[in-house]
Amino acid sequence: MTTIRNAMVFAAGLGTRMRPLTDHRPKPMVEVNGRPLIDHVLDRLESAGVEKAVVNLHYHADVLEQHLVRREREGIGPRLVFSDERDVLLDTGGGAVKALAEFGDAPFFSINSDTIWIEGIRPNLPALAAGFDPDTMDARLLLAASATSIGYDGSGDFLLDRDGRLSFRPERLVVPFVFAGAAVLSPRLFDGAPKGAFSLVKLFARAAEAGRLFGQRMEGVWMHVGTPEAILEAEEAIRRSKD
């Protein structure tokens, strides 16, 4: 069983599709059910036993940093380390490489600061970590069912075989699973990684070719909060889950 103590939180994106709500604040500060998205994420990490979270900053960085400093000062959640990308946006892959020294040789969570879900019976992040085997896996992704996710209308991302290995969606096909924005990553995944800005998808593809990309279907309901309209859908789903 793998225990994860560190996390990389991707919070530097531009939030273009969420405008006008992101005209003067970063997307992680957009509220769902009365709380900023990033607070939902950091609470999940704390519940999973994470002690340190690296948060990258770019768009409206000062707004996000001030909120997080205040949160940490109040003793809420894991210890925070800021990875400053104000001068250059590095995307998910480049952002993780910049912060890699914070994680040492141990696997760590990566999570998008705008991902949100309703838990099922078994909390998803501890289960994702418990099934991670560094000897056979470079990454283990949290997957949501494409057909039942709130606010998602795409064609899916992955096929999942009986052993949990992932393969990318073939062109022109619809597949059952979408990446839910959270994963356990081994530092080995970044061996020979490109310099500068690039997407983690590039490294996931390489891991898949080597048979070292795995996934776990989440319990509960994932909510794709990509637009202002999707916030209302997410809040309604949360309300129904509590009825």
Side-chain angles (χ1 to χ4, degrees):
M1 178 176 175
T2 300
T3 301
I4 308 293
R5 298 300 183 199
N6 299 316
M8 177 77 211
V9 181
F10 296 113
L14 301 178
T16 306
R17 294 179 63 231
M18 192 61 82
R19 288 175 178 165
L21 297 181
T22 52
D23 283 347
H24 304 291
R25 58 180 164 176
K27 186 179 178 183
M29 288 299 297
V30 171
E31 292 189 357
V32 173
N33 211 35
R35 302 182 68 234
L37 281 163
I38 197 163
D39 283 354
H40 291 279
V41 168
L42 291 172
D43 288 351
R44 287 267 188 260
L45 292 174
E46 182 182 26
S47 296
V50 168
E51 298 170 357
K52 179 175 72 175
V54 179
V55 183
N56 64 350
L57 305 170
H58 176 75
Y59 182 66
H60 288 306
D62 292 347
V63 175
L64 182 57
E65 186 174 21
Q66 289 167 13
H67 172 76
L68 294 177
V69 166
R70 185 164 53 251
R71 176 188 165 99
E72 188 174 31
R73 189 181 298 127
E74 294 171 357
I76 303 171
R79 179 170 68 88
L80 300 177
V81 175
F82 299 118
S83 183
D84 195 331
E85 297 181 23
R86 284 175 171 89
D87 293 337
V88 57
L89 187 59
L90 293 171
D91 206 338
T92 51
V97 168
K98 178 178 170 65
L100 207 55
E102 293 287 345
F103 308 124
D105 297 328
F108 58 95
F109 285 119
S110 73
I111 188 165
N112 296 341
S113 59
D114 60 356
T115 194
I116 184 172
W117 62 81
I118 299 166
E119 293 277 31
I121 295 173
R122 180 179 64 162
N124 285 290
L125 291 182
L128 189 67
F132 183 77
D133 177 8
D135 292 334
T136 61
M137 303 176 186
D138 288 342
R140 191 168 194 244
L141 313 188
L142 186 63
L143 306 174
S146 305
T148 58
S149 295
I150 303 296
Y152 180 77
D153 59 0
S155 300
D157 297 323
F158 294 105
L159 292 165
L160 179 71
D161 74 13
R162 66 179 64 188
D163 296 320
R165 281 188 176 85
L166 295 179
S167 55
F168 278 77
R169 178 178 64 86
E171 191 175 354
R172 295 188 295 277
L173 289 185
V174 175
V175 294
F177 298 109
V178 57
F179 177 43
V184 175
L185 308 181
S186 167
R188 173 193 161 116
L189 178 72
F190 299 90
D191 289 350
K195 305 292 185 183
F198 71 95
S199 172
L200 272 176
V201 173
K202 187 179 186 74
L203 301 184
F204 291 163
R206 187 177 68 179
E209 290 176 5
R212 295 183 61 87
L213 184 69
F214 285 73
Q216 172 191 292
R217 179 172 181 171
M218 73 182 305
E219 292 189 11
V221 179
W222 180 60
M223 295 173 285
H224 183 240
V225 187
T227 63
E229 295 75 21
I231 293 174
L232 298 177
E233 294 182 65
E235 291 177 336
E236 175 63 17
I238 292 170
R239 186 193 63 76
R240 289 199 306 268
S241 75
K242 295 178 178 179
D243 289 345

